Amino acid sequence: MSNWFIHSLSGAILALLCILLYPGIDSAILFSAVIATVLGSVIPDIDHPKSKIRNIFRSLVIIGLVSFIYLTVSFFVKIDFSMINETFSNEILLVLISFSISLFLAVVLTTILEKFIPRHRGSVHRIFAGLVYALMIFLISMLYGLSDPLFISFWGFLGFLSHLLVDNLF
């Protein structure tokens, strides 16, 4: 089983190839393609319980959920931050309680979400998953108004394929 370094290296080599093949392309498109390629080369291991990409993803999900839940809770519980003068005022207590509830719910939701991640080298390690990844890159590129989403998604797909190839070689 190859590790994240080999997968990252294969993605970086592909990204370098992309840079060398298209030196005159718009820098935003090239940068996006490089990111999509390197990310594509490591993202299939999101199904491995101890992979770096899964730990990063888990952290981002927790941060996103805490932020979302905290903002939702603080919408219903009005906190007047201008009134915070004392160390343990009611407002500070409400902020701490809201944040604690948010963190608890985020950890519970993340634990539940992880139950739906397939086994390692299962469905995420298939060409179809690479096509889904490329489609997501295409849609995100279009959402951000990048002029060549097909180019970016193609290189992301190549990065994904490099992961599958490296897994079969090593």
Side-chain angles (χ1 to χ4, degrees):
M1 179 173 126
S2 47
N3 60 22
W4 70 270
F5 178 76
I6 293 173
H7 288 301
S8 301
L9 182 63
S10 70
I13 290 169
L14 268 176
L16 181 62
L17 181 65
C18 177
I19 292 169
L20 293 174
L21 288 175
Y22 302 97
I25 199 167
D26 178 40
S27 59
I29 303 298
L30 191 59
F31 180 75
S32 300
V34 165
I35 296 297
T37 306
V38 174
L39 187 59
S41 70
V42 294
I43 207 149
D45 276 342
I46 202 165
D47 62 3
H48 190 285
K50 295 181 181 176
S51 70
K52 291 188 186 310
I53 192 69
R54 186 164 177 174
N55 289 334
I56 292 168
F57 181 73
R58 183 183 303 122
S59 299
L60 290 174
V61 167
I62 288 176
I63 290 168
L65 284 172
V66 166
S67 301
F68 175 75
I69 295 168
Y70 177 76
L71 290 173
T72 303
V73 168
S74 65
F75 178 77
F76 293 108
V77 179
K78 298 298 180 198
I79 301 169
D80 185 7
F81 288 103
S82 65
M83 299 291 291
I84 299 178
N85 292 330
E86 301 171 18
T87 308
F88 292 104
S89 68
N90 289 340
E91 286 79 15
I92 290 177
L93 188 58
L94 282 174
V95 168
L96 291 175
I97 290 171
S98 298
F99 184 76
S100 298
I101 291 169
S102 302
L103 185 59
F104 172 75
L105 289 175
V107 169
V108 168
L109 288 172
T110 305
T111 304
I112 292 170
L113 281 174
E114 290 209 356
K115 301 296 181 198
F116 293 100
I117 295 176
R119 66 178 174 78
H120 184 54
R121 293 199 180 162
S123 59
V124 179
H125 279 72
R126 302 287 181 262
I127 290 179
F128 180 74
L131 292 171
V132 170
Y133 172 72
L135 178 63
M136 289 171 54
I137 295 297
F138 182 82
L139 294 173
I140 290 169
S141 300
M142 285 184 60
L143 180 69
Y144 281 100
L146 295 171
S147 61
D148 200 350
L150 191 59
F151 178 82
I152 298 165
S153 60
F154 171 75
W155 281 93
F157 183 68
L158 287 181
F160 197 98
L161 287 179
S162 76
H163 182 100
L164 301 181
L165 180 67
V166 166
D167 273 354
N168 285 328
L169 292 176
F170 296 99

